[in-house]
Amino acid sequence: MTLINRTKISISGRVQGVGCRPFIYRLATEFALSGSVCNDSVGVTIEVQGEQSKIDKFIEFLTDGTKSPALMEIVSCTVGQMEPLNSEEKFQIAPSEETGAPLSQVSPDIATCKQCQGELNDTGDFRYRYPFINCTNCGPRYSIVKTIPYDRCNTTMDEFEMCQLCGEQYAEVHDRRFHAQPVACGACGPGVWLADSKGETIKQGTDDTVAEAASLLSAGKIVAIKGIGGFHLTADATNEDAVKLLRKRKHRDHKPFAMMTGSIEKISEFAEINDESKKLLQSPQAPVVLLDRKTGTAIAPSVAEGTSTFGFMLAYAPLHHLLFGRDGIDVLVMTSANISDEPLICDNEKALEKLSAIAGAFVMHDRDVYRQVDDSVVRVIDGNCAFLRRARGFVPAPVIRKTDSKKHIFAAGADLKNTFCFVKNNQYILSEHIGDLENGDVYRHYTKSVEHLKGLFEIEPEVVACDLHPGYLSTQFAKSLKAEKIIEVQHHWAHIASVLAEYDISEPVIGLAVDGTGLGTDGAIWGCECFIASLKKFKRVGHLEYYPLPGGDKASKEPIRVILGLLYGLFGKEMIEENMALLKTIEPNTTKTNLIVQQLEKGLNVVNSSSAGRLFDAVSALAGMGTCNHFEAQLPMALEAITRKDIKDAYKIEIKQDSNGTSLLDIRSMVVEIIDDVTNGTEPAVISTKFHNGVGNGLFALAEAARKTSGISVVALSGGVFCNRYLSEYLIRLLKKRDFKVLFKTKIPANDGGISLGQAAIAAEIYGNE
C-alpha cells in the first residue's frame, strides 16, 4: 500500500495577480496531487496530498522558477507536515482568506503581453480591438487595487460583472485568463469615448474614438489620454508648433518631454539602442529609458533641448497599441497630465477641470484608477539599469531584508523627489514617486498616499524616521504622527544606507554621497561627502572644502550666487573684482552682483556648504550652459551632454587634511583653471570634460584616503549627482581598476527618491529588534 502524506506550503513574494494559483493548480494536477491553493494576506497557501516523492518533485518545480509565470517571484517558502484527509480526491483553488495582517506583495502594473497584443489584432478573437484586453501575465494591478487579497471584488473592476465568455475563461484552469482579476471584453467591461474640453462626447466606441484622436494628433492638436495610472498629455513629437503649444499651456518651458512609439524599430530611427536599453524598453515594466539621441532626426527641437538624450518608452497599454496602429501616428510626446509639478491626474472630472485649457480633446474610459502612478524613468549606467524615477511597473514591489523587523516603521523621505517607505516584517515597502512637497497639491497627495498604503498593508508605525532638517515638510509630517520613537537621520547617511538596504548588507562601507543639498550635523549644507558608514552609525572622513553659499534656496536656481560664493570664500573679494567682465556675462545686473557680495561680506543669509550639486551649477554657467536652472539640475544636464570620451585631461583637485584628520577636497586650482579656460575661449566641451574628470579624480582620492585609514575596500555611491552617467562611469572605472568593490544602485534611485529607503533601513537596524 502506497503511503500518502500531506504537506502545507506557504509562499510569499510576488505571488498574487501573476498567475500563481493557476500555475500551482496545473502543477499539482500534473503530479496527481490533491489539495488546495488560496490567496491570503501573507501570500499563497498550498496544501498538497499524495506520494512523498511526488510532493518533493512538486516543491522542486514550484521553487526553482524555471516553469513559473514570468512575473511570479517567491521570496520565502515554508513547508510543514499535516494529517492526510481521507475523503479528498481533487486539487482545487479555494476562496481567498481575508484574515490576518496583509503582507503579500501587491503586483505592479504590467505592459500588455505579446499574447494579448496578438489577440488585440486577431479578427477572429472576441476581444479584437478591445482597449482593456489583459490576462494573468499583464494589465493593471497596483493602480486598480483597493485592498488585498488581490481579488476582483477588491479592485475597481468590481462594478463590471463578467459575461459568460469571460466568466468561462476566468474559471477554466488551463486558460491564460484563469483568475485574471481585470478580465473583461467589449460586452461586459469598461469602454472608451472621446470628449471635448467641456466634457461633451464627440465619439463613442473604440474604433471611432481612436480614429478621431489620431486625426486630431496628426493635425497638431493636444489630446489628453487616460491610461493605466492616469492621464497623459499627448502631441505629435515631430510637430514643433504642437510641442511648443503644449509647453506653453502646461507651463513647462524647459524640462524634457518623454516620448512613446509602437516599436523598437521606430525608436532606433531617433536614438541609439544597446542590448541593455533594448531589454529595458521591452521589459514587462516598460519604463521611459533615456537614450543617446541621433542627430538630424525628425523629433521637434523643443521636445528635449539642452540634453544629449531622448526619453522613450514603448506602448504599454492596449489603447496605446491601437493608437499607434493608425496611419500617421509614429512618435508622440507622452507627458504626465498635470500643471507644472502638480500630482498626476487620474480622475475624469478632475481632468476636465484642470486640463481643459491644455487639451482640446480627452480620450476617457470608465475603469477607475484607484492609485495614480507616473511612468518610471531609467537609464543605463555601467551596463546596468539606473533609476531616475521608480513608479509604474516597479511599485509596490518591496525590497527584501534578511531579517524581520519586530516594529512597524514609517520613513518620511525627503522634500524633493519624495518617496516614503514602510517596514513590515522582512519587507521595505517603498512608495512610488510622489514629487516635490513644496507644492501644496503634492503635499496633500503625499499625506493621502501614506494613509492609503498604511491601510492597504495594515501598518501602524511604531517607529518613525525623517530627515534631520527641521524645515522639511516631510520632517514636520513625521513628527505629527503618534509613534513610540522618532529618529532623525542625516540626509547623506540615508543616501548611503539606501545602498546598503538594496544590497542587504549592514557591514561598514566607504560611502560617497554626492548631491545638491542636505543639512549636516554641524549646521552646514553638505553635498560632497565621504563616510565610513553602516546602518547603525557613520563617521564623516572627507568632504569638499566648505565655501560660503549666499541666498539659501535661491542659489539652486541662480548659479551666479554660487560663483560669487566660491570666488569670495576661496580667494577673497579681489578675485571677484578681477573677473567682473566674465561675471557680467552670467549676471548683467551689477547692482544685484554687488548686493550678493555685500551679503557675503556681512554674512547675511549665508551658510557654509560642501555641495557638489551647486559646484556643477557654477561650472555649467561659466561654461556657457545658461544663467538659471529653470528645473532641478537643468544646467548640469546640459554640461554633461557636451562631455567627450576622447578627452582625458582633468582639472586639478588637491586633497588635504584638516586638524581633525578629515580629508578635504581643495578646488582652488580647478576654479582658477576653469576661469582661465573660459577667458581664453576654450571650447565648452573641453571645459565640461576636464571638470567631470577632475571631480571623478577627487572623489576617487577621497575613497583611497578612506581605505588607507579604515582598511575597507567596498564603496557605496549615492546622491543625485550619480544620475550623471559620464561622472558615474568615470569614477566606477577608477575604483574598479584599484580593486574597490563598487555598490551602485540598480533597483532604487540614486537621487532623493531613495532617501526614504535609507531612513527606513537605519530605523529598522536600530529599533527593529527591540
Side-chain angles (χ1 to χ4, degrees), residues 463-681:
V463 178
V464 169
C466 63
D467 196 90
L468 191 64
H469 200 305
Y472 273 11
L473 293 170
S474 55
T475 299
Q476 294 169 15
F477 174 77
K479 291 184 177 181
S480 73
L481 301 177
K482 295 179 181 179
E484 295 175 7
K485 292 181 180 176
I486 186 164
I487 178 172
E488 297 179 351
V489 180
Q490 199 281 322
H491 187 86
H492 300 93
W493 184 24
H495 263 307
I496 301 307
S498 69
V499 185
L500 299 180
E502 178 176 317
Y503 284 85
D504 198 19
I505 59 176
S506 55
E507 297 80 10
V509 298
I510 297 169
L512 292 175
V514 190
D515 65 359
T517 182
L519 181 65
T521 55
D522 59 356
I525 298 300
W526 294 3
C528 184
E529 311 304 314
C530 182
F531 293 162
I532 302 297
S534 67
L535 293 178
K536 288 189 174 180
K537 61 181 180 179
F538 76 95
K539 180 181 179 182
R540 193 187 195 201
V541 296
H543 60 88
L544 181 67
E545 189 173 8
Y546 284 148
Y547 58 91
L549 192 63
D553 289 342
K554 288 183 179 179
S556 66
K557 296 185 180 296
E558 302 174 14
I560 186 64
R561 295 179 178 274
V562 190
I563 295 169
L564 291 171
L566 286 165
L567 296 182
Y568 183 87
L570 300 180
F571 305 101
K573 186 176 180 180
E574 296 79 12
M575 189 68 160
I576 295 174
E577 294 170 347
E578 291 172 10
N579 289 282
M580 281 302 295
L582 172 59
L583 296 175
K584 282 182 181 179
T585 65
I586 299 169
E587 178 49 75
N589 186 341
T590 55
T591 300
K592 179 176 180 177
T593 300
N594 290 333
L595 284 173
I596 296 172
V597 172
Q598 291 176 28
Q599 187 178 355
L600 286 163
E601 289 177 318
K602 296 177 181 179
L604 297 174
N605 195 22
V606 175
V607 63
N608 280 333
S609 176
S610 58
S611 169
R614 299 294 77 80
L615 176 62
F616 270 79
D617 293 338
V619 175
S620 300
L622 288 168
M625 298 300 101
T627 60
C628 177
N629 275 318
H630 295 94
F631 61 89
E632 187 185 15
Q634 178 189 2
L635 299 186
M637 284 170 60
L639 191 69
E640 180 196 359
I642 60 173
T643 52
R644 284 173 27 192
K645 292 182 179 179
D646 63 309
I647 298 173
K648 308 302 180 185
D649 292 341
Y651 293 126
K652 185 178 181 181
I653 288 186
E654 297 176 346
I655 189 167
K656 60 185 182 182
Q657 308 291 317
D658 69 8
S659 58
N660 297 316
T662 303
S663 298
L664 302 178
L665 291 183
D666 182 345
I667 58 172
R668 288 174 177 80
S669 295
M670 169 182 275
V671 172
V672 170
E673 290 175 23
I674 291 171
I675 289 175
D676 286 346
D677 276 352
V678 171
T679 303
N680 294 329

